[in-house]
């Protein structure tokens, strides 16, 4: 079992305040067609655009891995992850295309609300339109290979899968990596199949303070994702109060008879992005059992209410 303590919190108040000043030079409108952003209009005009929910900049498309997508602002070289779920994407002729049709080196005009979430690279969820203004060439994006190398590396086939959940509260958007417990994993090495099996304590046999925790005031929807496509997912939960009582009766958390605590299964729903969505509530511990083509792995986390 690994003890990862990795949580990214994007405060909503900060997100609103951090407009794309770093993305597009504090609101200058970029012209299209040349592949290089040009400042256009006054700061008053830019302010009016942000107030109206429309803000335009120019970026180069950088692709990596199987489906990784990054935009790099052409005015100041700032990389960001484009949120394209609600965006209209058009090719150079104005025809609708999918995000997967964007090609490394494309120069695109990006229109959105001008609000970037604070992280690295930044995330820009409010994009409403992406239009290819110059086909460019793949080598045009080579200059950003160092940026990509700093945020992404090809996955090591020997590494078992990792899992994370994300959720939104009134104050924040949170993404956190889950603690991984036992797993089995297989991979090919020099033409031969290799396998490893790692045992670990059952998630019910660990104290709550030994788990990474989600902090929510009430029930919220969480989205579960993996760095390897899962073939099956089962989510089970236990009341932290019941687990604490069992640990006290048994003498310690590690002495709890996990087999006698079946827990309750949590309903999961796949979303359009291939992630699984389910409800989390404070006072509960969650176990995720996921199967993959090359093995299976168990993950766990707990959920607590904010401290008053």
């Amino acid at each position: 079992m690994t003890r990862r303590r990795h949580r990214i919190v994007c405060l909503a108040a900060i997100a609103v305040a951090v407009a794309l000043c770093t993305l597009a030079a504090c609101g200058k409108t970029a012209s299209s067609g040349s592949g290089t952003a040009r400042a256009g209009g006054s700061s008053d005009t830019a302010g009016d655009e942000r107030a109206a929910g429309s803000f335009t900049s120019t970026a180069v498309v950088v692709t990596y891995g199987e489906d990784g997508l990054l935009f790099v602002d052409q005015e100041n070289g700032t990389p960001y992850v484009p949120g394209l779920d609600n965006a209209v994407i058009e090719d150079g002729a104005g025809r609708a295309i999918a995000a997967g049709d964007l090609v490394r080196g494309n120069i695109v005009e990006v229109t959105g609300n001008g609000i970037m979430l604070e992280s690295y690279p930044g995330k820009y969820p409010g994009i409403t339109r992406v239009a290819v203004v110059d086909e460019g060439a793949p080598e045009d994006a080579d200059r950003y290979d160092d940026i990509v190398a700093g945020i992404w590396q090809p996955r090591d086939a020997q590494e078992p899968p990792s899992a994370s959940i994300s959720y939104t509260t009134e104050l924040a958007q949170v993404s956190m990596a889950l603690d991984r417990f036992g797993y089995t994993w297989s991979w090919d090495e020099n033409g031969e199949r290799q396998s490893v099996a790692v045992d670990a304590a059952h998630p019910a046999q660990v104290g709550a303070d030994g788990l990474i925790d989600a902090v929510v005031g009430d029930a919220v929807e969480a989205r579960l994702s993996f760095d390897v496509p899962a073939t099956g997912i089962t989510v089970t939960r236990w009341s932290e109060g019941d687990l604490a009582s069992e640990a006290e009766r048994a003498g310690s958390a590690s002495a709890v008879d996990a087999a006698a605590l079946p827990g309750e299964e949590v309903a999961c729903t796949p979303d359009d992005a291939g992630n699984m969505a389910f409800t989390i509530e404070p006072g509960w511990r969650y176990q995720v059992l996921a199967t993959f083509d090359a093995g299976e792995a168990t993950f766990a986390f707990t959920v607590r209410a904010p401290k008053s």
Side-chain angles (χ1 to χ4, degrees):
M1 175 179 62
T2 57
R3 284 283 185 264
R4 292 191 302 276
R5 291 291 179 270
H6 179 58
R7 182 191 288 110
I8 299 173
V9 180
C10 301
L11 297 179
I14 295 177
V16 172
V18 183
L20 290 181
C21 289
T22 57
L23 177 65
C26 293
K28 296 180 181 178
T29 303
S31 66
S32 63
S34 68
T36 302
R38 298 189 186 93
S42 67
S43 59
D44 290 340
T45 300
D48 291 342
E49 285 185 344
R50 288 198 301 276
S54 178
F55 180 83
T56 303
S57 59
T58 307
V60 63
V61 175
V62 178
T63 58
Y64 58 91
E66 293 186 4
D67 55 8
L69 189 64
L70 197 69
F71 284 0
V72 181
D73 180 74
Q74 288 293 274
E75 186 158 347
N76 55 29
T78 300
Y80 61 94
V81 178
L84 302 178
D85 290 345
N86 300 310
V88 174
I89 307 174
E90 301 172 348
D91 65 10
R95 295 173 298 223
I97 59 175
D101 295 322
L102 294 172
V103 177
R104 180 180 173 89
N106 282 168
I107 305 300
V108 292
E109 183 181 75
V110 182
T111 303
N113 61 10
I115 299 173
M116 184 187 293
L117 300 182
E118 189 179 68
S119 61
Y120 186 83
K123 294 179 176 63
Y124 187 1
I127 295 176
T128 56
R129 178 176 178 269
V130 174
V132 177
V133 296
D134 192 329
E135 292 298 324
E139 53 268 26
D140 295 340
D142 290 349
R143 74 186 74 176
Y144 305 112
D145 284 349
D146 288 346
I147 292 176
V148 172
I151 62 174
W152 175 84
Q153 291 293 331
R155 192 177 183 283
D156 185 348
Q158 297 184 29
E159 283 294 315
S162 296
S164 63
I165 63 165
S166 59
Y167 60 93
T168 301
T169 68
E170 291 183 355
L171 298 177
Q173 291 187 334
V174 181
S175 177
M176 68 181 198
L178 302 185
D179 287 323
R180 184 174 59 223
F181 284 68
Y183 62 88
T184 61
W185 195 243
S186 299
W187 67 95
D188 291 325
E189 185 175 318
N190 299 325
E192 295 185 3
R193 195 67 169 170
Q194 307 293 327
S195 299
V196 63
V198 175
D199 291 327
H202 189 281
Q205 296 175 317
V206 179
D209 58 356
L211 292 170
I212 190 168
D213 56 346
V215 181
V216 300
D218 203 348
V220 300
E221 182 177 78
R223 297 188 179 275
L224 173 69
S225 60
F226 303 91
D227 62 348
V228 175
T231 57
I233 298 169
T234 301
V235 178
T236 306
R237 71 176 189 174
W238 297 267
S239 162
E240 284 292 359
D242 290 347
L243 291 177
S245 297
E246 284 296 317
E248 183 177 3
R249 185 188 63 78
S252 67
S254 61
V256 167
D257 181 4
L261 299 172
E264 58 182 66
E265 189 168 336
V266 178
C268 299
T269 305
D271 62 15
D272 294 338
N275 301 318
M276 296 298 292
F278 61 96
T279 300
I280 61 175
E281 298 180 71
W284 292 85
R285 183 177 307 187
Y286 293 80
Q287 171 190 271
V288 175
L289 175 61
T291 57
F292 308 87
D293 287 338
E296 66 177 38
T298 300
F299 306 88
F301 64 99
T302 188
V303 183
R304 65 174 177 83
K307 295 180 179 178
S308 57

